[in-house]
């Protein structure tokens, strides 16, 4: 609608808009000058709340390493999930996943409960969990080996990522 107006119409419209904006700003400024502020800022309360905040001593490098490690772990869990799904064993993986990621599990079930759920013996379940953990470790090592220039540095890199996760525990959300 504004584009259809002539130059004079556009000028009048802009003049009215700017005048009302200037008056509104002037009223706010006069309120502040008269001792009335636009909002209340409780500086003492803010300072008290700031003192209660925990001190975060993580360096940016540790934060980056911890987030990268969590992304790596998440991607490798998804990769295992896709692999089990392609083999038609998605329910098996979902039952065993709690043994790979116990931190993000509300309650860790017993071997007997999971063995009964999967209709196998406890010994067979332990073997399956062992194989799953080996496969998971291989995926993590493979992913880390892609990021280092020397294959001898894989163990050191994994160790550094584990340290970053330990230091960042509770500070960084996945």
């Amino acid at each position: 609608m504004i584009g259809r107006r002539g130059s004079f119409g556009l000028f009048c419209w802009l003049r009215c808009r700017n005048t009302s904006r200037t008056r509104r700003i002037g009223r706010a400024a006069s309120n502040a000058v008269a001792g009335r502020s636009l909002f209340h800022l409780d500086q003492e309360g803010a300072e008290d709340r700031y003192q209660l905040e925990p001190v975060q001593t993580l360096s940016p490098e540790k934060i980056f390493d911890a987030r990268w490690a969590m992304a790596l772990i998440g991607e490798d869990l998804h990769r295992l999930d896709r692999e089990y799904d392609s083999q038609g064993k998605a329910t098996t993986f979902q039952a065993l996943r709690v043994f790979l990621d116990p931190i993000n599990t509300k309650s860790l079930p017993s071997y007997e409960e999971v063995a009964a759920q999967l209709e196998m013996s406890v010994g067979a379940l332990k073997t399956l969990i062992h194989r799953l953990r080996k496969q998971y470790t291989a995926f993590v090592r493979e992913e880390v080996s892609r990021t280092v220039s020397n294959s001898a540095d894989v163990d050191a890199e994994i160790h550094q990522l584990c340290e970053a996760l330990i230091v960042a525990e509770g500070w960084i959300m996945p």
Side-chain angles (χ1 to χ4, degrees):
M1 182 167 173
I2 294 173
R4 293 186 194 156
R5 294 181 184 172
S7 299
F8 182 70
L10 181 60
F11 170 76
C12 290
W13 181 79
L14 288 173
R15 181 72 176 162
C16 288
R17 188 188 71 173
N18 292 339
T19 302
S20 64
R21 183 180 295 159
T22 304
R23 286 183 185 157
R24 196 171 46 245
I25 292 170
R27 280 193 304 268
S30 67
N31 287 343
V33 170
R36 300 183 322 223
S37 63
L38 297 175
F39 59 92
H40 176 69
L41 179 63
D42 181 16
Q43 291 180 343
E44 290 178 21
E47 188 65 30
D48 291 340
R49 283 191 305 277
Y50 179 73
Q51 294 296 329
L52 294 175
E53 289 291 320
V55 177
Q56 185 174 358
T57 58
L58 296 178
S59 68
E61 293 81 16
K62 286 292 182 190
I63 293 171
F64 175 83
D65 286 346
R67 286 193 177 144
W68 187 80
M70 287 188 291
L72 177 90
I73 289 169
E75 180 56 36
D76 289 334
L77 280 172
H78 284 25
R79 185 175 169 193
L80 272 174
D81 186 20
R82 288 190 305 268
E83 189 166 308
Y84 270 73
D85 192 34
S86 70
Q87 296 171 2
K89 300 178 181 180
T91 55
T92 302
F93 179 75
Q94 291 308 316
L96 299 178
R97 182 183 180 125
V98 297
F99 297 107
L100 289 177
D101 192 17
I103 294 172
N104 293 324
T105 304
K106 292 180 182 168
S107 64
L108 194 62
S110 67
Y111 286 154
E112 291 79 16
E113 292 171 350
V114 177
Q117 178 186 350
L118 296 176
E119 299 174 350
M120 63 175 54
S121 70
V122 174
L125 176 71
K126 287 181 180 181
T127 302
L128 201 57
I129 291 170
H130 175 72
R131 289 179 184 159
L132 181 68
R133 287 177 176 161
K134 282 183 75 169
Q135 189 176 14
Y136 181 60
T137 302
F139 284 169
V140 170
R141 291 185 68 76
E142 180 183 329
E143 194 67 34
V144 169
S145 70
R146 291 182 194 167
T147 64
V148 294
S149 57
N150 187 355
S151 62
D153 295 336
V154 172
D155 288 330
E157 181 71 14
I158 290 174
H159 182 73
Q160 182 179 359
L161 293 174
C162 287
E163 281 182 353
L165 283 174
I166 290 168
V167 168
E169 183 180 355
W171 286 99
I172 307 219
M173 293 297 169

